[in-house]
Amino acid sequence: MRLLNRYVISQLSICTLYALLVLISLYSFFDIMGEISHVGDGRYTASKMLYYVLLLIPTHAYELMPLAVLVGALVCLNQMASHSEFTVIRTSGIRLSSIISMMLQFGLLFAIIAVLLGEYVVPKIGPYAEQYQLHARQNSISAGDSGIWLKQGQDIVNVAEMLPDGSLKNISIYRHDEQFRLMETLHASSANVDTHTQQGKKSKWHLHQVEQTLLQEHQITVTHQENLDWRMSINHQLLNILLVAPEQMSIMALSTYIKHLKNNHQQTTRYELAWWRKIAYPLACIVMALVALAFTPQQNRHGNMGLKLFYGICLGLLFHFSGRLFGFTSQLYKIPTPIAAFLPTVLFLCLAIYLIRRQEKR
């Protein structure tokens, strides 16, 4: 029994890895097609573009894991059925419960891989990839742990954080003369960017709680202002690099950031949904393994086999995109985030159980 268990799980794992490789290759091709038009912007060369696409692979692997489990398991089980291996397993006295246990172990294996990717790999590589691309395409912008650094004429600007509503936190402005001697500094606790009020290409930044320091030859003057308007020619959309996608954050980071947003009276629905989806995501890999079993034909009929394989893959694509759909509807119609996160997985679990029981009765 142990030998059979290892054989089935190893075959399922190999097919799943092949499926994941194919899906990642497809997504990487789309990434290249989307990025190739930006080659030549700043220092964004073809080699840097390919390196950026490579950095996106862990994120794609995490996002596609349940779909890869379903496709890989479907292909493997249908191959075993076509070679009569599945029939031999059933007629040799192996109970359905034992087969389900094998599928659960297989799904759990890839659920653990998904957790490791989502908690340790993607939160580090994902933001780094976006910062790498931004730094290559925009010579006057650099992003790092201290926020984003902008250069405009004789001003160097540091923005530590951007909240989901577009407001900025902890802004520092350093102004120097032509000999690069520091002349003036501005520190603001927050700012709002008025993108509709423009003077040429400059947008107006409304700075709040401003401390202004003038460095003169023989004295330093410090003044405080409640509000101060300041013009900046940097495109406001470039500041979005400060907004880390919630899907690229770990559960611990999401918990901390949700608390931070609540303290700043910000909407947290998107981040709470991402938190609950992080909890539900490993379960999705296990459920997809059961769905694959439900779509495995019991008899060696090639027409039935190909049709079930097609239906199973379509169902996997439906699950892949339904998660995003439920995410949008939860924000639009105020659906509780735990329900929006778990509902697709629970529905597919119920479908898998129903189909397996129906198939067993036949």
Side-chain angles (χ1 to χ4, degrees):
M1 184 65 185
R2 289 184 178 180
L3 182 62
L4 176 63
N5 193 68
R6 287 198 299 268
Y7 172 74
V8 172
I9 292 177
S10 64
Q11 292 299 310
L12 288 168
S13 301
I14 291 172
C15 288
T16 299
L17 291 176
Y18 277 127
L20 184 61
L21 179 62
V22 171
L23 291 171
I24 289 175
S25 300
L26 182 63
Y27 267 64
S28 296
F29 173 76
F30 291 142
D31 289 336
I32 292 174
M33 291 298 100
E35 291 294 321
I36 199 168
S37 61
H38 299 298
V39 173
D41 295 349
R43 295 173 293 175
Y44 197 50
T45 61
S47 60
K48 290 185 177 181
M49 181 267 290
L50 292 176
Y51 180 62
Y52 169 68
V53 172
L54 287 176
L55 290 175
L56 296 178
I57 287 179
T59 301
H60 291 327
Y62 175 72
E63 294 173 347
L64 296 168
M65 192 66 71
L67 180 58
V69 168
L70 175 62
V71 174
L74 278 171
V75 172
C76 179
L77 292 177
N78 277 271
Q79 285 181 346
M80 294 177 67
S82 66
H83 297 153
S84 300
E85 291 178 275
F86 198 82
T87 303
V88 171
I89 291 174
R90 293 304 310 271
T91 56
S92 62
I94 304 298
R95 295 184 177 182
L96 178 63
S97 59
S98 299
I99 297 176
I100 292 176
S101 176
M102 295 179 193
M103 300 305 297
L104 292 177
Q105 293 176 54
F106 156 69
L108 180 61
L109 173 63
F110 282 88
I112 293 173
I113 296 175
V115 169
L116 294 176
L117 282 173
E119 292 300 302
Y120 300 103
V121 180
V122 173
K124 293 182 179 180
I125 295 183
Y128 171 74
E130 301 302 325
Q131 293 174 9
Y132 175 84
Q133 185 211 40
L134 177 68
H135 184 64
R137 291 178 56 187
Q138 302 290 332
N139 293 329
S140 61
I141 295 182
S142 177
D145 294 336
S146 59
I148 192 168
W149 289 87
L150 319 169
K151 188 177 185 301
Q152 175 186 275
Q154 297 178 331
D155 297 338
I156 298 176
V157 183
N158 173 243
V159 181
E161 182 184 1
M162 183 177 181
L163 294 177
D165 65 350
S167 60
L168 310 177
K169 302 286 288 184
N170 298 326
I171 303 97
S172 299
I173 304 170
Y174 305 92
R175 179 167 295 171
H176 57 80
D177 59 15
E178 296 179 355
Q179 286 73 40
F180 294 97
R181 292 177 299 189
L182 188 62
M183 299 172 52
E184 179 183 357
T185 65
L186 291 171
H187 297 281
S189 62
S190 62
N192 298 101
V193 181
D194 187 356
T195 55
H196 301 288
T197 305
Q198 296 186 350
Q199 182 179 1
K201 294 183 179 180
K202 295 186 176 182
S203 59
K204 183 185 292 185
W205 290 23
H206 303 289
L207 306 178
H208 310 295
Q209 303 295 325
V210 182
E211 180 183 281
Q212 183 178 22
T213 304
L214 295 175
L215 286 79
Q216 299 171 341
E217 188 174 354
H218 299 292
Q219 65 176 357
I220 298 176
T221 305
V222 179
T223 59
H224 296 271
Q225 302 182 55
E226 287 295 323
N227 300 287
L228 178 66
D229 290 342
W230 186 71
R231 301 260 177 198
M232 186 71 177
S233 61
I234 297 297
N235 189 339
H236 181 247
Q237 293 180 349
L238 296 176
L239 296 172
N240 288 333
I241 191 64
L242 291 170
L243 276 178
V244 179
E247 293 77 17
Q248 295 180 347
M249 301 172 69
S250 65
I251 292 178
M252 187 66 69
L254 280 168
S255 301
T256 304
Y257 195 62
I258 289 171
K259 183 179 179 181
H260 171 68
L261 291 178
K262 288 181 177 180
N263 292 335
N264 285 273
H265 308 289
Q266 298 287 307
Q267 289 289 334
T268 60
T269 304
R270 183 186 175 192
Y271 294 87
E272 289 178 350
L273 177 63
W275 191 91
W276 282 106
R277 289 185 68 181
K278 286 277 187 178
I279 301 296
Y281 209 68
L283 178 62
C285 295
I286 300 175
V287 170
M288 288 300 103
L290 294 179
V291 172
L293 179 62
F295 279 86
T296 301
Q298 301 294 311
Q299 298 179 3
N300 187 7
R301 292 183 296 174
H302 293 282
N304 183 42
M305 188 179 304
L307 193 60
K308 283 201 169 187
L309 180 62
F310 173 76
Y311 286 155
I313 293 175
C314 290
L315 197 64
L317 292 173
L318 176 63
F319 175 82
H320 181 68
F321 292 107
S322 65
R324 299 183 180 182
L325 176 62
F326 276 95
F328 293 136
T329 54
S330 68
Q331 298 179 59
L332 185 61
Y333 297 106
K334 308 297 182 182
I335 299 175
T337 51
I339 295 177
F342 278 94
L343 186 58
T345 303
V346 172
L347 290 177
F348 274 75
L349 176 61
C350 295
L351 176 63
I353 294 174
Y354 168 75
L355 291 176
I356 291 174
R357 293 188 63 182
R358 180 184 176 184
Q359 192 175 74
E360 185 67 12
K361 287 179 179 179
R362 291 180 177 179

